[in-house]
């Protein structure tokens, strides 16, 4: 006889890990116990030495589908006389903070039950088991047990209770376990005089969707608005009502085959589509498909996802066609959560609402992922991922709350050596969003059982997140520069301590001098940075207005490149702009009235894109930049000239020669795809050249590519390829490259500035 302690680290709680260990131990005649531990699961096992080796090998060979094992460590312990193998209750204190896992998509076993007419859960929309189902979105407190979830008011029936208590059952300790006899039920409400056909809520919703109606559906983390994605009239109707002119809609398809019929899906993308996190995956749409073109006006990218709750499986199976599934909100407000709220806010938008009576404790939007230059990169990290923690290289001694940025806000809480992102909040521009931000922070503090003593925030005094930070009492406040935070978030993701050479390209971020930065080459440490190079600024006539009316940026670039005499007469772009508007903008720039200087590389994308595509306006954030990327002609390999001004500190990348060369091309009728390719090649070349130049002095530091602009696959891949293989290039994967990832960097920096890091 021998004894071993086996410590397993990773996401192994709330995913059926302990019952799985139990079953293996039973089968192999190993005695002992398993329990949740602070960083995972601890097993104490007793058997012959050989049997223990086999047992450990078995544990390493496979894992339950939703588990993520990060490490397994064994130590010998004195043997004990124990009878059988036991699952011990969690320690009450030590491990409670880690006990809530993210929501998990319906597993194949549950899906099969729901679609099997002979199963007692046939057609039941709330079926789940130990390896699948709602988790984070139903948690109201800790530890993660049924009483601390929104399932607490449903009393399990005898059969469900038996499943729940039987260690050999798939539903052993499945906290949301339910069946049609005892669990939540669906209901449907018609709005605005719609008649719901039949008496069954699900069948009624399916019928309405087939007829082209817009149906709001209560899901896991909030309400969606659904309609038949193959019905152009229905999609147009939804666009009108949602006041969403051109932004692409997410589309849910029944299974992988259906996905392959509407898009080109790589093996890697297929794995993401079918993962337990079930994010929206941005894939290339096929040209000829059943989808209405209104789903994705003018972009080749399609946001595709597969059903992740039994309700979705049933809807998709019922309708038999792809469905638009978009967050139920207006413009950029937070996703709807409560039944009453949905009734109020969705009147006039949806024709009917498919409700259920299980409350959503935490709003959680769908996550969005895209494979960028071979790396799956989260663009929005929310449902399915939150609250899965990140482990940091160094611990902080005081808990930190980082408030994030302004657009695509997420916040982050760090204590010890673990970091927890909150769910995607959205743009902090409405009262509803600010309420959600505050409420989500409160709730995360509750379920993590932590009270932050340090608050990190952006330097921008006008951001609501900054104002929230200043208003919070009883904590040390630390302002963190936006692009330093971008780089630090990437350092944290890779466990790199610095120094690194950060290349942070985005639309805008508050600089230490009070101006807008966004084309930054920064030598970064965790507690400080040095700004080594930036871009020559461009004037934004009217400030934020220029982000929408991108022709203004094009005008400003030409004005600068042609010494105050922009040759607009030979450019079709300006034919569609009122001469009076041009005159005003021209004066604003000349007299420097309400025309702040901005160095964001995103602004150059706007300006060049507007110029070559004849696009005076960007209807949603990044629209012109995205179109500009996709049109690029891969066969064009040459680039435009650019200049580097080494006389300034920091030195400046000067794109005036680039503007002049692009102007020549556009004015002489060169196709926009060629202009786009040359523009991208120029940015790639200059980025690599500046980096190489800086590394000559700095030595071979890791290079961190971050900021929203690096969502551009052409640029991200191009720069990585241009740098020598000796240089370690850090790119985003699990932490979003855009402002949704910034909070982690803020927290890391605040901890380091206060000298708290372990
Ligand atoms: Zn299941
Ligand atoms: Zn039941
Ligand atoms: Fe940014």
């Amino acid at each position: 006889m021998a004894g071993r302690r086996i410590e397993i680290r990773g996401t192994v709680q709330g995913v059926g890990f302990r019952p799985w260990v139990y079953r293996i131990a039973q089968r192999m005649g190993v005695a002992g116990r398993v329990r949740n531990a602070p960083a995972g699961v601890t097993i104490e096992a007793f058997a012959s030495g050989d049997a223990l080796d086999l047992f450990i090998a078995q544990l390493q060979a496979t894992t339950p589908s939703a588990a993520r094992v990060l490490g397994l460590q064994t130590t010998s312990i004195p043997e004990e006389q124990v009878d059988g193998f036991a699952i011990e209750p969690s320690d009450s204190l030590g491990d409670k903070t880690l006990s809530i896992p993210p929501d998990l998509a319906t597993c194949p076993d549950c899906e099969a039950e729901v679609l099997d007419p002979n199963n007692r859960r046939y057609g039941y929309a709330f079926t789940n088991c130990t390896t699948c189902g709602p988790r984070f979105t139903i948690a109201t407190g800790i530890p993660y047990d049924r009483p601390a979830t929104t399932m607490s008011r449903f009393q399990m029936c005898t059969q469900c209770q038996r499943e729940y208590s039987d260690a050999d059952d798939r539903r052993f300790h499945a906290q949301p376990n339910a069946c049609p006899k005892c669990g939540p039920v669906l209901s449907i409400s018609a709005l605005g005089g719609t008649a719901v056909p039949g008496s069954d809520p699900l069948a009624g919703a399916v019928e309405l969707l087939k007829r082209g109606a817009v149906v709001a559906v209560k899901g896991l983390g909030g309400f969606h608005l659904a309609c038949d994605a193959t019905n152009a009239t229905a999609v147009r109707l939804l666009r009108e009502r949602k006041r969403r002119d051109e932004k692409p809609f997410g589309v849910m398809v029944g299974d992988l085959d259906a996905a392959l019929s509407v898009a080109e899906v790589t093996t890697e993308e297929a794995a993401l589509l079918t993962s337990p996190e079930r994010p929206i995956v941005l894939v290339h749409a096929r040209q000829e498909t059943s989808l209405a073109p209104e789903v994705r006006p003018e972009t080749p990218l399609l946001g595709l996802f597969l059903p992740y709750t039994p309700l979705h499986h049933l809807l998709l199976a019922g309708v038999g066609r792809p469905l638009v599934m978009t967050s139920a909100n207006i413009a950029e407000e937070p996703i709807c959560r409560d039944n009453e709220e949905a009734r109020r806010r969705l009147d006039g938008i949806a024709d009917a609402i498919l409700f259920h009576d299980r409350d959503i404790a935490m709003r959680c939007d769908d996550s969005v992922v895209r494979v960028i230059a071979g790396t799956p990169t989260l663009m929005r990290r929310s449902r399915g991922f939150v609250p899965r923690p990140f482990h940091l290289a160094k611990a902080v001694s005081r808990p930190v709350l980082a408030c994030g940025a302004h657009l695509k806000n997420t916040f982050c809480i760090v204590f010890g050596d673990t970091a927890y992102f909150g769910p995607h909040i959205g743009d902090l521009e409405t009262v509803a969003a600010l309420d959600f931000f505050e409420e989500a922070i409160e709730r995360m503090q509750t379920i993590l059982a932590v009270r932050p003593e340090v608050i990190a925030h952006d330097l921008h005094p006008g951001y609501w997140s900054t104002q929230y930070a200043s208003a919070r009492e009883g904590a040390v406040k630390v302002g963190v520069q936006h692009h330093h935070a971008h780089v630090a978030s990437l350092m944290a993701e890779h466990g790199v301590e610095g120094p690194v050479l950060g290349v942070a390209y985005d639309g805008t971020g508050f600089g230490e001098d009070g101006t807008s930065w966004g084309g930054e080459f920064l030598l970064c440490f965790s507690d400080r940075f040095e700004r080594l190079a930036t871009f020559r600024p461009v004037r934004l006539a009217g400030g934020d207005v220029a982000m929408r009316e991108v022709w203004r940026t094009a005008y400003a670039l030409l004005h600068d490149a042609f010494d105050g005499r922009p040759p607009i007469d030979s450019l079709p772009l300006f034919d569609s702009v009122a001469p009076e508007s041009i005159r005003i903008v021209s004066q604003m720039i000349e007299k420097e009235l309400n025309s702040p200087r901005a160095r964001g590389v995103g602004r150059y994308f706007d300006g060049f894109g507007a110029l070559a595509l004849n696009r005076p306006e960007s209807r949603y954030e990044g629209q012109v930049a995205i179109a500009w990327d996709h049109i690029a002609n891969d066969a064009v390999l040459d680039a435009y000239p650019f200049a580097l001004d080494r006389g300034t500190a920091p030195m400046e990348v000067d794109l005036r020669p680039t503007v002049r060369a692009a102007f020549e091309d556009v004015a002489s009728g060169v196709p926009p795809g060629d202009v786009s390719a040359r523009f991208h090649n120029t940015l790639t070349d200059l980025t690599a050249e500046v980096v190489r130049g800086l590394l000559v002095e700095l030595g071979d530091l890791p290079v961190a590519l971050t900021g929203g602009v690096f969502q551009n696959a052409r640029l991200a891949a191009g720069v990585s390829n241009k740098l020598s293989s000796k240089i370690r290039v850090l790119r985003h994967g699990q932490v979003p490259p855009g402002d949704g990832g910034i909070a982690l960097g803020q927290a890391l920096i605040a901890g380091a500035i206060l000298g708290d890091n372990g």
Side-chain angles (χ1 to χ4, degrees):
M1 282 290 281
R4 300 273 167 78
R5 178 176 294 120
I6 306 155
E7 287 164 301
I8 299 174
R9 270 188 323 115
T11 304
V12 289
Q13 300 182 12
V15 293
F17 202 86
R18 286 175 302 158
W20 174 78
V21 172
Y22 170 89
R23 282 192 289 272
I24 295 177
Q26 289 287 49
R27 211 172 55 229
M28 304 183 75
V30 171
R33 55 189 77 95
V34 57
R35 64 172 174 272
N36 283 339
V41 157
T42 300
I43 303 164
E44 283 162 357
F46 307 99
S48 71
D50 286 351
L52 285 177
D53 287 344
L54 275 174
F55 176 60
I56 291 163
Q58 193 64 41
L59 291 177
Q60 285 171 308
T62 57
T63 50
S65 60
R68 293 270 185 290
V69 173
L70 296 176
L72 182 149
Q73 214 176 4
T74 62
T75 41
S76 290
I77 52 170
E79 63 164 285
E80 281 176 39
Q81 278 308 323
V82 274
D83 281 336
F85 197 88
I87 296 176
E88 292 193 336
S90 313
D91 298 345
S92 57
L93 271 174
D95 59 356
K96 64 182 178 180
T97 53
L98 279 176
S99 64
I100 303 175
D103 300 283
L104 299 161
T106 309
C107 71
D109 289 341
C110 287
E111 185 189 340
E113 286 184 355
V114 169
L115 301 173
D116 171 10
N118 297 318
N119 192 282
R120 76 185 189 97
R121 288 189 172 85
Y122 176 57
Y124 186 54
F126 305 93
T127 303
N128 64 82
C129 73
T130 315
T131 51
C132 80
R135 300 283 190 270
F136 175 65
T137 53
I138 59 166
T140 54
I142 45 170
Y144 174 68
D145 272 325
R146 190 161 173 121
T149 69
T150 57
M151 283 299 290
S152 61
R153 66 192 189 82
F154 300 96
Q155 184 76 40
M156 270 188 266
C157 69
T158 335
Q159 261 173 303
C160 286
Q161 187 64 52
R162 200 181 307 134
E163 294 164 342
Y164 182 88
S165 318
D166 177 0
D168 284 325
D169 195 278
R170 282 208 294 122
R171 298 196 161 88
F172 177 61
H173 278 209
Q175 305 304 343
N177 188 26
C179 78
K181 254 192 288 179
C182 65
V185 292
L186 293 169
S187 60
I188 191 164
S189 274
L191 299 173
T194 316
V196 178
S199 58
D200 177 55
L202 183 71
V206 165
E207 191 51 37
L208 285 173
L209 287 167
K210 280 184 177 170
R211 291 181 194 169
V214 173
V215 179
V217 178
K218 185 173 181 179
L220 207 50
F223 284 76
H224 280 111
L225 289 164
C227 76
D228 179 352
T230 65
N231 180 335
T233 318
V235 181
R236 266 200 303 273
L237 189 71
L238 177 54
R239 272 199 189 284
E240 268 163 40
R241 293 184 183 170
K242 210 188 161 191
R243 290 183 234 149
R244 184 157 171 162
D245 286 346
E246 290 177 7
K247 212 167 171 178
F249 282 137
V251 172
M252 188 179 273
V253 287
D255 53 28
L256 199 53
D257 284 341
L260 290 166
S261 76
V262 296
E264 288 157 28
V265 178
T266 64
T267 322
E268 203 163 27
E269 289 161 346
L272 293 166
L273 280 169
T274 53
S275 67
E277 294 88 358
R278 291 287 155 106
I280 294 177
V281 184
L282 296 180
V283 290
H284 276 265
R286 289 189 191 280
Q287 288 297 338
E288 299 293 320
T289 70
S290 57
L291 297 185
E294 286 80 357
V295 166
R296 42 165 199 103
E298 77 160 12
T299 153
L301 287 184
L302 177 63
L304 211 55
F305 56 153
L306 297 188
Y308 53 84
T309 70
L311 178 56
H312 296 141
H313 282 290
L314 293 164
L315 276 175
L316 267 290
V319 177
R321 284 179 286 226
L323 292 177
V324 164
M325 278 282 205
T326 181
S327 300
N329 55 9
I330 302 174
E332 301 299 323
E333 290 201 341
I335 189 168
C336 266
R337 179 186 68 176
D338 301 324
N339 289 1
E340 268 321 303
E341 180 195 6
R343 244 184 257 279
R344 200 176 59 243
R345 282 172 61 191
L346 301 178
D347 197 8
I349 299 178
D351 298 304
I353 307 182
L354 185 58
F355 288 109
H356 60 70
D357 55 353
R358 184 181 73 203
D359 288 339
I360 296 169
M362 184 68 111
R363 246 181 268 260
C364 211
D365 264 282
D366 295 312
S367 296
V368 181
V369 66
R370 183 178 170 197
V371 178
I372 298 177
T375 309
T377 309
L378 279 167
M379 319 277 275
R380 183 203 283 166
R381 188 180 185 277
S382 204
R383 180 197 40 83
F385 295 91
V386 175
R388 189 190 296 163
F390 285 91
H391 291 278
L392 303 177
K394 275 189 171 180
V396 292
S397 60
R398 285 185 280 179
V400 184
L401 164 69
C403 297
H406 184 61
L407 298 179
K408 302 182 175 69
N409 178 278
T410 55
F411 60 86
C412 184
I413 293 177
V414 178
F415 59 98
D417 64 351
T418 32
Y420 297 84
F421 270 107
H424 167 78
I425 306 286
D427 299 351
L428 290 184
E429 303 214 301
T430 60
V431 175
L434 194 63
D435 286 348
F436 176 27
F437 174 74
E438 295 188 2
E439 172 201 301
I441 288 174
E442 282 301 320
R443 199 171 276 273
M444 283 292 280
Q445 290 177 172
T446 304
I447 64 173
L448 296 172
V450 65
R451 194 78 202 164
E453 293 165 31
V454 177
I455 313 247
H457 60 84
D458 197 270
L459 291 180
H460 199 305
Y463 282 3
W464 279 11
S465 54
T466 307
Q467 286 159 12
Y468 169 85
S470 354
R472 252 184 85 143
E473 283 165 12
V476 183
K477 319 291 166 59
V478 182
V480 177
Q481 202 280 323
H482 188 93
H483 304 94
H484 187 201
H486 268 306
V487 178
S489 75
L490 191 48
M491 289 162 65
E493 175 169 0
H494 291 279
V496 170
E497 280 181 41
V500 307
L501 176 57
V503 182
Y505 287 175
D506 64 3
T508 183
F510 200 78
E512 287 186 321
D513 56 4
T515 69
S516 172
W517 295 5
E520 310 306 315
F521 295 79
L522 310 173
L523 172 62
C524 287
F525 302 82
S526 49
D527 61 345
R528 65 189 190 281
F529 70 95
E530 219 176 295
R531 193 175 183 219
L532 303 176
T534 183
F535 276 60
R536 180 179 170 86
V538 39
R539 288 208 172 268
L540 298 182
D544 285 353
V545 179
M547 310 223 183
R548 200 173 60 246
E549 295 186 20
V550 287
W551 68 267
R552 294 175 181 231
T553 307
Y555 185 93
L557 288 176
L558 291 164
H559 189 276
D560 191 25
F562 289 89
D563 295 326
R565 283 183 299 280
I568 59 170
D569 290 345
S570 36
L571 290 168
L573 167 68
F574 296 96
D575 293 348
S576 53
V577 183
E580 178 64 8
S581 303
I582 298 178
R583 204 179 53 77
I584 293 172
V585 161
S586 154
Q587 285 187 354
M588 287 169 89
I589 289 172
E590 265 153 37
K591 298 186 176 148
E592 305 188 4
L593 289 169
N594 188 24
S595 308
R597 293 162 178 273
R599 298 174 190 271
V601 173
R603 302 284 78 85
Y604 281 94
F605 274 84
D606 286 351
F608 277 83
L611 196 67
L613 298 170
N614 301 332
R615 289 287 295 269
E617 279 185 47
S618 183
R619 301 250 163 74
Y620 57 89
E621 204 209 348
Q623 185 188 24
V624 168
I626 292 166
W628 184 225
D629 171 13
H630 291 299
I631 187 186
N633 178 357
D634 292 330
V636 173
L637 301 176
D638 59 326
Y640 293 129
F642 63 90
L644 255 181
D645 186 352
R646 296 178 194 274
T648 56
M651 66 180 183
E652 266 182 19
V653 176
D654 181 353
L655 291 191
R656 283 177 298 178
T658 320
V659 174
R660 288 190 289 265
F663 163 78
E664 290 300 333
D665 269 0
V666 174
S668 58
V670 170
D674 294 14
V675 181
S676 171
R678 289 186 183 123
F679 171 77
H680 280 90
N681 295 342
T682 311
L683 264 190
T684 303
D685 290 354
L686 77 85
T687 305
E689 187 176 319
V690 173
V691 164
R692 275 194 301 257
L694 292 171
L695 290 184
V696 168
E697 282 152 45
L698 301 171
D700 285 348
L701 299 181
V703 174
L705 305 181
T706 185
V709 169
F710 279 106
Q711 292 171 10
N712 181 309
R714 196 171 296 278
L715 185 64
V719 174
S720 311
N721 293 339
K722 283 234 158 197
L723 294 174
S724 121
S725 55
K726 270 196 332 203
I727 294 163
R728 181 172 176 205
V729 178
L730 308 177
R731 282 178 36 217
H732 285 271
Q734 289 296 307
V735 179
D739 285 1
I742 221 168
L744 178 60
Q746 292 176 337
L748 193 84
I749 293 166
I753 285 178
L754 294 176
D756 284 354
N757 289 51

